[in-house]
Each structure stands twice: as structure tokens, then as C-alpha cells.
Amino acid sequence: MDSQRSPAEPGHPPLAALAVQPLLNRDYESRPAVFYERLRAEYGPVAPVDVLGVPAWLVIGYSQTLDILRDTRGIWSRRVDAWRAYREGAVPADWPMRPVVEAGNSGFRDGANSTRLRGAWSEGLRPFQDRSMPEAKALELAARRYADELITELAESGGRTGWADLSAQYARPLPLMVIGRLLGDGADGDDELIIDLWRVMDAGPDAQEASDRLTARVAGVCEARTGNPGADLPSYMLAAVPDLTAEELTREMAMMTGLVGDVTGTLICNTITEVLIGETGTRDSLSAGMIQEAINRAAAANPPMANLAFRWAKADVRVGRFQIAAGDPVLVSPAAAHLDPAFTRTSSPDSIYSSRAHLAWGAGPHACLGRDLATTVTTIAVERLFERFSALRLALPADQLPWRSSPLMRGLRSLPVTYELADGPPEPPADPAAAGDEEPEPPSRDGPSPLARRVLRMMRRAQP
């Protein structure tokens, strides 16, 4: 930074006049490390990029990313009306990410509004994340049952040895089934709600219609909870913040379906992939029985949210050699930050434990409140998979796996494997009384439940 230059004189053209690198490109999708390092070499810790036709700053330095996430100086806003181009009507009406930034949920709020909604989230999630509580114990039993049912259905389709797509047949449908349970009575058995979630996340030609139906279904669930609360996430959020409106609750639950569904499904898939590739120490962690360590390594090596949602500068601020003007849009990139030597030199490849300083879950006032829930579901998914199969191998070379990338997410479109089932039926939960008053439902030895079978059948039909 040139300390003699006034902050009002950036020494470079404004963002809109800079030559920008397309964020979505072949390297970003298949070789992100190459793309991020090329940006770092040319621009330093922050680079101007094109996000589907809109210029933005991409922050790729570890310390700069952490500083922006913590926002101790109050420089950054998550409100879309802080975006200068948006206020001026310069953002195209058909920009694909416009519905995301206009969602109006807690992810795009500041100050007291954000604190109020995050308070509802914290209290609403607590029964499901505190493993001493009956709701958390029951959820773990349900997730284990869903995992076993999906594996059983997968094996029934392919045989004792065979081929499977662990993304479409396991990693992605499992969290969608968990979402139904979180939403409570009426939603947990709603196959169409789960399938519409799948259609939205798969971004196919009918994604917008599915999104509209999904919003309407979630709104119906939230409206019902305001008059008839139950032992579910929306009811607990309403109990924590009684003045939460049905409209606010609907926006938060719509956000939850995306985060739990896509982020957790991607984390499961990415963890399985890291184990099978075996280049980051994840396989060794799993072999040593440290499943949560394996997940941590996978989250650091390949975070599901490669880039975190937009925020906007409230005042001119220098980052690296660039001045970000008030109202400029910024993406921070945990995936790129984890490749920064400032981060990589802090951990030894020979260490038993990997760094907990990674940014896959964000940091600061917008850090992910559902981290424990996502980790628990992922732990169960990975544990059941490697217990039920005696052998799993990639059916493609690692560098040929098909990735589905967006400006925010990075996960596999498919995870083809060959497998061999272990001997014997799935074991029941180790502690059948763990769910308190709720009787456990062990996996059926006669096959998967109708829900698992219907969900997978409908997902296959939903594929383009």
C-alpha cells in the first residue's frame, strides 16, 4: 500500500472500468488451485472478476478474508441496498444471482435485524445440535436410518458388487430427508417437497417452477407452526423469538433448505472423495477412526462453499494493492484462502490433526450457526458408508471427476464408484435408548423404507 496516496485516489480505474477475469471457467471448475494461484500471482490477495456478467472483487488472501469476515471495524454490509450498482438500477434484471441477494433472509441483514434472526436460529437449532437433548438423539437415529436405507436401495439396484453414483444416490438425497424431519410433521413425509429441493439444487430447466412450489410448501409449513407448534425447527425458532412473522420464518426456512441440502450434501460428497483420493491425509484420519478429523481435512481441502455470499463496502477501503470503493460487491473465497502460504505454512503435513483455522464455516458475525448439525449428519453418512462397504474405489481417475461449480458452491455432479458390500446386515444403533422416549427404528432387513425408494425413484425421473 502506498501510504502517501489519499484514500480518495485509488491509483487504478474503478471496478467497472477494470479488465476482469471470468470467475467461472474451466480451471475454476476442474483445477481451482491453478486458477486461484494465477490470480494471486497477477493481482495479490484481491482480484477483479466477472460473476456471470457482473464485476466484483474476489478476496483470495487468508488474512484479508479473515479480516473481512470478522469485520471488527464495521466496514462491510450484507444488505443488498448497500450495493451502489443495485441502487442505481445497473444490475441486470435477469442476473442469475439476483434472487439470492434479494432473498431478505438473515444472511443478507445487518445489525439488530441480523442479531434478532440469528438469535432465533441459535435457539431453534440448539435442541438438534446439543447431543444431550432428545431431539438431537432422535435426529441422529433418523439420519443413520436414512443412510442405511439409501445404501440398501443402492445395493438392491446394483447387487453385492457393482457400480453406483454416490452423489445422486447417497450424499445428496440424505440431507434432503433430514430437512423433512427438521421441518416437522407433514414435511418429513412430503416426497414432493424433497424432490423440488433436488430440482432447485440441480439447477435444471424446471428449477424456477420447483423453487416457487418449494417456497409455497415451506410457507404452508411455517403458517401451520404459528398456530400449532411442534418439536421442530420452525416451532423452536418461533418460541425463541415470538414476534417472528410467518413471512420471516418462511425466508429463513427457505434458506435452511438450501444450506442443509446443498452444503451438507456437498460436504458428504467431498469428504468421501477426499478419502478415496487419499492425498490430503483424510484417508489416514478415517483409518485411525477419527471421522470428524477426516471431515475437517476435507472441509479445508475442498470447502463446499468455495466463495461466501456477497457483501458490500460501506466506505472506501484498501485491500492489498486495490482500493475497494463504497458500494462495490465483494466475494471472499475460503477455497483460495486455504491455498495462501499464510495459511498452508501453519500446518504440518505430518500432523495428526489438521488446522481448525480454516474458513469453510465462515467467521465473525455471519459464521455458520448450523456447523454442528452439518458435521453430525456428515459424520453419520461417512461412517455408515465405510462400515457397510468392504471396498469402495473411484470408477474414474480423480482428474476426470465431473464437478458442478457455481459462483458460491463447488461439488461433484456425480461420484461414480465400484463397490463391494461388507458381510451381514446393517447393525442397529449402539445405544437404542439414546433417543429418550422415542423408540428407535432400526433399518429394515427386508429392504429400504418406501420413502427412500420413492425419493430415489423420483430423483432419477427428475434428472435431465
Side-chain angles (χ1 to χ4, degrees):
M1 172 178 171
D2 185 350
S3 60
Q4 301 302 311
R5 182 176 288 123
S6 164
E9 300 174 2
H12 59 79
L15 174 62
L18 288 173
V20 292
Q21 299 268 357
L23 177 62
L24 299 187
N25 58 71
R26 185 172 297 178
D27 280 342
Y28 174 81
E29 183 163 296
S30 60
R31 301 189 305 165
V34 171
F35 174 63
Y36 292 132
E37 291 312 301
R38 186 167 70 241
L39 289 182
R40 199 184 316 277
E42 183 170 353
Y43 298 105
V46 61
V49 296
D50 175 277
V51 183
L52 302 174
V54 168
W57 298 104
L58 183 69
V59 181
I60 58 179
Y62 178 82
S63 62
Q64 292 82 6
T65 296
L66 182 60
D67 181 65
I68 290 172
L69 290 173
R70 286 177 172 168
D71 193 22
T72 56
R73 295 175 291 169
I75 291 174
W76 304 98
S77 174
R78 294 296 297 270
R79 293 178 57 90
V80 68
D81 56 12
W83 188 2
R84 185 179 61 258
Y86 183 85
R87 294 195 308 269
E88 294 171 353
V91 178
D94 61 350
W95 185 54
M97 295 197 69
R98 189 168 180 135
V100 175
V101 301
E102 291 179 334
N105 56 50
S106 57
F108 292 95
R109 299 287 187 94
D110 289 337
N113 283 331
S114 174
T115 300
R116 172 174 166 269
L117 292 171
R118 284 177 64 84
W121 273 111
S122 182
E123 287 302 305
L125 285 169
R126 189 169 61 86
F128 301 102
Q129 298 197 124
D130 182 344
R131 300 186 69 183
S132 69
M133 300 189 72
E135 294 90 344
K137 294 173 182 177
L139 183 67
E140 289 187 32
L141 283 173
R144 181 188 174 102
R145 186 173 69 253
Y146 298 151
D148 278 322
E149 289 167 355
L150 290 167
I151 292 170
T152 299
E153 171 69 6
L154 178 157
E156 282 190 355
S157 301
R160 183 169 184 78
T161 62
W163 180 97
D165 177 358
L166 290 182
S167 175
Q169 293 176 270
Y170 185 68
R172 297 180 73 193
L174 175 57
L176 305 188
M177 297 166 79
V178 171
I179 287 170
R181 189 173 183 93
L182 289 170
L183 289 174
D185 292 341
D188 50 353
D190 189 342
D191 301 354
E192 286 296 336
L193 181 146
I194 294 172
I195 297 308
D196 277 337
L197 270 170
W198 172 272
R199 292 185 176 112
V200 171
M201 292 171 194
D202 216 41
D206 56 353
Q208 185 56 56
E209 293 180 5
S211 178
D212 294 341
R213 288 193 302 268
L214 178 63
T215 300
R217 285 173 180 272
V218 171
V221 170
C222 293
E223 185 67 36
R225 297 299 180 265
T226 59
N228 186 25
D232 51 67
L233 178 58
S235 296
Y236 291 143
M237 290 178 68
L238 282 166
V241 182
D243 65 346
L244 202 62
T245 68
E247 183 180 359
E248 287 177 316
L249 189 60
T250 298
R251 286 197 294 261
E252 298 308 304
M253 291 301 97
M255 178 180 68
M256 182 275 290
T257 60
L259 291 178
V260 174
D262 216 4
V263 173
T264 305
T266 301
L267 180 60
I268 293 169
C269 206
N270 289 0
T271 302
I272 295 167
T273 305
E274 291 294 323
V275 172
L276 296 181
I277 293 174
E279 294 179 350
T280 61
T282 308
R283 179 188 290 271
D284 292 338
S285 296
L286 192 67
S287 299
M290 299 188 297
I291 294 179
Q292 292 201 7
E293 170 58 21
I295 294 168
N296 190 70
R297 286 181 182 272
N302 199 5
M305 293 198 73
N307 308 309
L308 300 180
F310 285 97
R311 59 207 71 215
W312 297 273
K314 292 191 285 187
D316 293 358
V317 58
R318 181 79 64 169
V319 181
R321 66 183 179 87
F322 290 102
Q323 178 163 288
I324 296 176
D328 277 359
V330 169
L331 287 174
V332 291
S333 176
H338 296 169
L339 296 169
D340 188 337
F343 177 77
T344 58
R345 65 169 173 254
T346 62
S347 59
S348 167
D350 300 326
S351 174
I352 295 176
Y353 292 99
S354 55
S355 173
R356 264 55 182 174
H358 68 72
L359 304 175
W361 303 106
H366 284 277
C368 178
L369 292 171
R371 172 178 181 168
D372 290 344
L373 176 64
T375 301
T376 294
V377 174
T378 302
T379 298
I380 292 168
V382 173
E383 177 185 52
R384 295 310 297 145
L385 189 74
F386 286 96
E387 285 182 359
R388 294 285 305 275
F389 291 106
S390 59
L392 278 175
R393 299 179 184 86
L394 291 176
L396 287 175
D399 61 359
Q400 294 181 25
L401 291 172
W403 292 89
R404 57 179 187 94
S405 295
S406 77
L408 303 180
M409 302 291 300
R410 185 172 187 268
L412 285 167
R413 185 169 298 280
S414 64
L415 178 52
V417 299
T418 57
Y419 65 82
E420 180 178 337
L421 276 173
D423 293 332
E427 297 179 1
D431 181 9
D437 295 333
E438 177 169 320
E439 289 295 322
E441 300 178 51
S444 169
R445 298 190 180 193
D446 298 325
S449 72
L451 175 60
R453 182 172 286 122
R454 290 197 306 270
V455 166
L456 288 174
R457 185 181 298 124
M458 294 175 74
M459 285 179 174
R460 286 193 290 270
R461 291 205 305 267
Q463 292 280 55

